Amino acid sequence: MATLQADGKIDQFRALFWQIVRFGLTGGAATVIYAAVYWPIATYAQVRWPLEHRSVWPLIANVLGYLVSMMAGYVIHSRWSFRGVGERGNVARTGGRYLVVMLVSFTMNTFFVWFLTGPMHGATWWPLVTNVFVTPMLTFVLYRFWVFA
C-alpha cells in the first residue's frame, strides 16, 4: 500500500516537473518575442525620435512587447504548458484570469523598466534581467493554481 502511495506522489512530481519544463520553454519563447519587440524600440527610438525623458521609449516598448507576447503566451500556455490541468470549458473565466495575471506581471515589469531605466539611469537591457528571472516565478504559481486550475 505504501508503494502505491509513493508511486502516486512520484507520478505527481513527474507531471509537475514536465509542466515546469513546458512552462519554461513557452515562457522562454514569449520572452524572446517580448525582447524582440522591446529592445529595438527601447534602444533606438530615442535616437530616432528624441523625447525629453529618456525613460519614455522603454515604457512604450514595454507595453508593445507585452501585448504581442501576451497573445502568443495565452495560446501556447493554455494548449501546451498547462494541458491536463483543470477545466478548459469556460474560456471567458480562463481568459479573464489570464488577463489579470498578465496585468499583475505587466505592472511588475513596468515598474522594473521605469525604475531601472529612469531613476537608476540603467541601460535599456537591465529590465530584461528582472523580466526573465523574477516575474516568471510568480506567474507560474498563479497560472498553475488559479488560471488553469
Side-chain angles (χ1 to χ4, degrees):
M1 192 58 106
T3 304
L4 291 176
Q5 290 175 347
D7 287 344
K9 292 281 186 198
I10 290 171
D11 289 341
Q12 288 176 347
F13 284 122
R14 184 177 294 125
L16 180 61
F17 170 78
W18 287 111
Q19 187 173 63
I20 291 170
V21 169
R22 290 190 307 267
F23 174 81
L25 292 172
T26 301
T31 300
V32 167
I33 292 167
Y34 168 84
V37 173
Y38 166 82
W39 189 78
I41 295 169
T43 302
Y44 299 112
Q46 181 66 21
V47 174
R48 180 82 167 104
W49 302 286
L51 296 174
E52 182 178 348
H53 300 285
R54 74 179 205 91
S55 64
V56 172
W57 278 115
L59 291 169
I60 292 169
N62 184 54
V63 170
L64 296 175
Y66 244 78
L67 289 174
V68 173
S69 69
M70 179 179 76
M71 290 183 284
Y74 178 75
V75 171
I76 301 169
H77 280 309
S78 66
R79 294 186 179 170
W80 188 56
S81 302
F82 294 96
R83 71 175 181 221
V85 176
E87 299 286 327
R88 293 294 183 280
N90 190 341
V91 176
R93 180 184 71 85
T94 304
R97 289 181 177 186
Y98 182 83
L99 183 60
V100 169
V101 172
M102 289 308 298
L103 289 173
V104 168
S105 67
F106 174 75
T107 301
M108 286 174 55
N109 285 349
T110 300
F111 170 78
F112 292 139
V113 168
W114 167 79
F115 182 71
L116 294 171
T117 63
M120 294 297 293
H121 302 288
T124 56
W125 62 265
W126 284 12
L128 293 175
V129 175
T130 56
N131 293 359
V132 169
F133 294 107
V134 177
T135 305
M137 290 185 283
L138 173 66
T139 59
F140 177 81
V141 171
L142 291 174
Y143 288 157
R144 175 69 172 87
F145 296 105
W146 187 55
V147 175
F148 300 111

